[in-house]
């Protein structure tokens, strides 16, 4: 039921519900900007209803992709444009969910629950025979900027921050500034509360719709989470796996500063950071092993903030991610090296979905889907609204594919 809204008015109501900070604010925006008198409750109902339709469409798209034979999944129409570079990134965030169907796990449990976000970018870049940026950019040897980065990513150095503080930190200072970096063209966004297995299917289905399979250069960029790389192995194994350089850098920074005076630790960090940038990961690991030998091994009782534990954690991280850290080669291929795009996207989603006084129930998946749709540069929503009357009446709509 669409009440007495025209299709144009309904689109405005849903846009306000998905983009404003709250449904109440959306109702005020509609009155002021569109001269529409709509109650906050009607804004909520309309937004969630359309969001449910988009979830159903999205899930059907993923199911149709999964039903394809494997050879068909890699076919791309010859007359469709193919991006030179494509990049898939994924990350996580948190929001508060109050749903009787999802009770608290114990008395001390909060209402904060995980959400997953993926960005799919088409890009343009050039391939170089030589590394276009062999020297570590100056921004990565700026002490103040590095301390801010470590706080943002919840690294080991400096005072501990809550997860809420970390997710709300600005990402603007972590833009990839190197020469030869790929230029982004168009983004689509996938956001969901589903588990990682289902989320991976949604992500690869969207990549299929974007015709990423035919791109000559493909990258999957993420931090060191096992969940991220499980999705890569299952759905994107033909993409170049790249560990987010800045996450790796913060581990190196933390290890360099652990148990050292600032001047001594900073010199070690500068050396190790340049080695990391140059792809000399084994050299960094060897230096950390020597440092671990000097400090000794941590015990189960050792605090996570102790120098021995910090170095051990950094050492384990670099060893586990070693195969995804060939940064000079990634630069030659014109591939992205950081996951800042998806981290920035998580922050944009947080503006609508997250807050200490915001609690979501069963409408959370619908809202996440609509918020993600509005952040994308692709014509997903335009296509949805164009086809919606035909779905409601049961008539067919014949149209050509849209990239």
């Amino acid at each position: 039921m669409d009440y007495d809204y025209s299709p144009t008015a309904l689109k405005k109501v849903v846009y306000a519900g998905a983009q404003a900070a709250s449904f109440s604010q959306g109702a005020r925006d509609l009155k002021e900007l569109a001269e529409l008198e709509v109650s906050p409750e009607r804004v909520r109902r309309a937004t969630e209803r359309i969001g449910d339709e988009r979830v159903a469409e999205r899930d059907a798209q993923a199911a149709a992709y999964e039903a394809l034979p494997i050879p068909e999944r890699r076919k791309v129409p010859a007359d469709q444009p193919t991006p030179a570079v494509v990049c898939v990134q994924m990350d996580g965030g948190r929001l508060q969910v109050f749903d009787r169907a999802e009770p608290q796990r114990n008395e001390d449990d909060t209402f904060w629950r995980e959400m997953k976000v993926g960005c799919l970018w088409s890009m343009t870049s050039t391939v170089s025979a030589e590394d276009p940026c062999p020297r570590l950019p100056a921004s990565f040897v700026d002490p103040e900027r590095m301390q801010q980065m470590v706080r943002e990513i919840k690294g080991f150095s400096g005072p501990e921050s809550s997860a809420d503080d970390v997710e709300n930190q600005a990402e603007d200072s972590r833009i990839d500034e190197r020469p030869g970096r790929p230029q982004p063209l168009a983004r689509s966004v996938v956001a969901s509360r589903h588990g990682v297995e289902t989320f991976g299917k949604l992500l690869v289905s969207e990549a299929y719709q974007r015709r990423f399979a035919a791109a000559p250069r493909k990258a999957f960029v993420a931090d060191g989470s096992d969940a991220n790389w499980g999705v890569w192995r299952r759905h994107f194994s033909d993409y170049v796996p790249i560990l987010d350089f800045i996450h790796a850098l913060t581990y190196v920074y933390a290890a360099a500063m652990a148990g050292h005076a600032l001047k001594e630790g900073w010199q070690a960090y500068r050396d190790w950071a340049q080695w990391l940038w140059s792809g000399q990961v084994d050299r960094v690991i060897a230096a950390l092993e020597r440092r671990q030998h000097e400090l000794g091994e941590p015990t189960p009782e050792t605090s996570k903030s102790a120098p021995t534990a910090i170095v051990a954690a950094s050492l384990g991280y670099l060893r586990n991610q070693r195969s995804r850290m060939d940064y000079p080669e990634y630069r030659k291929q014109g591939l992205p090296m950081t996951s800042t795009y998806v981290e920035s996207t998580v922050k944009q989603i947080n503006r609508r979905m997250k807050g200490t006084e915001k609690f979501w129930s069963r409408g959370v998946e619908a809202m996440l889907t609509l918020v993600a749709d509005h952040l994308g540069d692709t014509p997903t929503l335009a296509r949805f609204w164009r086809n919606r009357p035909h779905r409601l009446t049961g008539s067919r709509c014949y149209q050509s594919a849209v990239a």
Side-chain angles (χ1 to χ4, degrees):
M1 177 180 178
D2 288 344
Y3 301 108
D4 53 354
Y5 304 138
S6 68
T8 299
L10 182 60
K11 286 172 66 175
K12 291 178 179 179
V13 171
V14 172
Y15 181 87
Q19 295 292 88
S22 64
F23 295 122
S24 296
Q25 183 61 53
R28 291 191 291 270
D29 291 346
L30 287 167
K31 182 177 181 180
E32 185 69 23
L33 300 175
E35 298 182 351
L36 286 175
E37 289 275 0
V38 186
S39 70
E41 179 61 18
R42 280 196 166 193
V43 174
R44 181 189 68 80
R45 289 180 181 178
T47 304
E48 290 184 356
R49 183 172 64 255
I50 297 301
D52 285 338
E53 291 181 25
R54 270 291 297 130
V55 169
E57 181 183 62
R58 179 202 69 182
D59 291 351
Q61 174 182 293
Y65 169 80
E66 193 170 12
L68 290 173
I70 291 178
E72 291 294 321
R73 298 179 184 181
R74 303 195 180 276
K75 286 187 177 179
V76 177
D79 60 342
Q80 295 297 329
T82 301
V85 181
V86 297
C87 177
V88 175
Q89 302 184 354
M90 64 177 288
D91 199 4
R94 298 199 308 165
L95 71 171
Q96 291 194 105
V97 176
F98 179 72
D99 189 344
R100 296 186 186 281
E102 186 178 345
Q104 290 176 275
R105 291 180 285 267
N106 54 63
E107 292 183 359
D108 298 326
D109 190 19
T110 67
F111 294 101
W112 290 105
R113 297 292 183 267
E114 292 184 358
M115 65 175 176
K116 294 173 179 61
V117 178
C119 278
L120 301 95
W121 280 96
S122 58
M123 298 177 165
T124 181
S125 69
T126 58
V127 177
S128 306
E130 302 293 334
D131 187 346
C133 185
R135 296 298 302 172
L136 184 70
S139 58
F140 293 136
V141 286
D142 180 326
E144 184 176 347
R145 187 170 185 266
M146 284 307 305
Q147 289 174 0
Q148 179 185 356
M149 283 187 189
V150 171
R151 286 194 298 269
E152 288 173 6
I153 302 179
K154 204 180 191 310
F156 303 107
S157 294
E160 286 288 329
S161 302
S162 71
D164 297 343
D165 294 336
V166 173
E167 289 182 9
N168 283 319
Q169 288 288 341
E171 299 292 345
D172 296 341
S173 64
R174 297 175 52 206
I175 296 173
D176 185 355
E177 300 168 338
R178 62 186 167 92
R181 67 188 183 278
Q183 299 301 311
L185 297 176
R187 167 182 66 168
S188 55
V189 180
V190 177
S192 177
R193 272 269 294 128
H194 286 307
V196 67
E197 183 175 347
T198 299
F199 181 76
K201 295 176 182 178
L202 297 177
L203 204 58
V204 72
S205 170
E206 180 63 20
Y208 174 76
Q209 299 299 319
R210 296 284 305 278
R211 298 165 176 82
F212 277 16
R217 287 173 286 151
K218 300 188 282 284
F220 186 97
V221 186
D223 63 28
S225 166
D226 289 341
N228 295 338
W229 297 110
V231 169
W232 169 75
R233 280 188 292 271
R234 184 177 179 88
H235 300 290
F236 299 97
S237 59
D238 58 329
Y239 287 49
V240 176
I242 301 175
L243 177 71
D244 171 45
F245 176 76
I246 295 176
H247 272 82
L249 196 66
T250 58
Y251 276 85
V252 169
Y253 178 92
M257 296 299 171
H260 273 151
L262 179 60
K263 183 176 180 180
E264 184 182 5
W266 183 252
Q267 185 55 55
Y269 163 74
R270 288 179 64 105
D271 292 340
W272 297 353
Q274 179 59 57
W275 298 346
L276 188 70
W277 182 262
S278 301
Q280 301 177 61
V281 183
D282 288 342
R283 191 175 181 184
V284 180
I285 290 175
L288 288 179
E289 288 173 341
R290 290 192 294 271
R291 181 63 180 150
Q292 188 77 75
H293 181 72
E294 293 171 3
L295 294 171
E297 296 289 338
T299 66
E301 292 75 28
T302 302
S303 167
K304 291 183 178 180
S305 60
T308 55
I310 291 173
V311 173
S314 299
L315 189 54
Y317 189 87
L318 295 186
R319 284 171 174 165
N320 291 338
Q321 303 299 326
R322 181 180 175 280
S323 62
R324 305 170 184 135
M325 301 168 69
D326 191 359
Y327 298 116
E329 183 59 29
Y330 308 149
R331 292 192 292 271
K332 291 179 187 178
Q333 294 299 317
L335 298 177
M337 289 172 40
T338 67
S339 59
T340 52
Y341 291 120
V342 70
E343 291 163 12
S344 177
T345 300
V346 170
K347 184 184 175 185
Q348 290 177 289
I349 292 175
N350 283 344
R351 289 171 183 154
R352 179 61 184 97
M353 301 298 298
K354 183 177 177 179
T356 56
E357 297 180 359
K358 285 185 181 179
F359 290 83
W360 300 93
S361 59
R362 295 185 182 182
V364 64
E365 191 70 14
M367 283 298 299
L368 277 173
T369 301
L370 276 182
V371 172
D373 285 345
H374 280 102
L375 290 175
D377 304 312
T378 55
T380 300
L381 277 177
R383 188 166 51 232
F384 166 82
W385 287 112
R386 183 172 64 247
N387 294 341
R388 186 171 186 264
H390 301 281
R391 288 195 302 273
L392 295 178
T393 60
S395 61
R396 291 179 177 267
C397 176
Y398 297 96
Q399 62 180 36
S400 59
V402 179

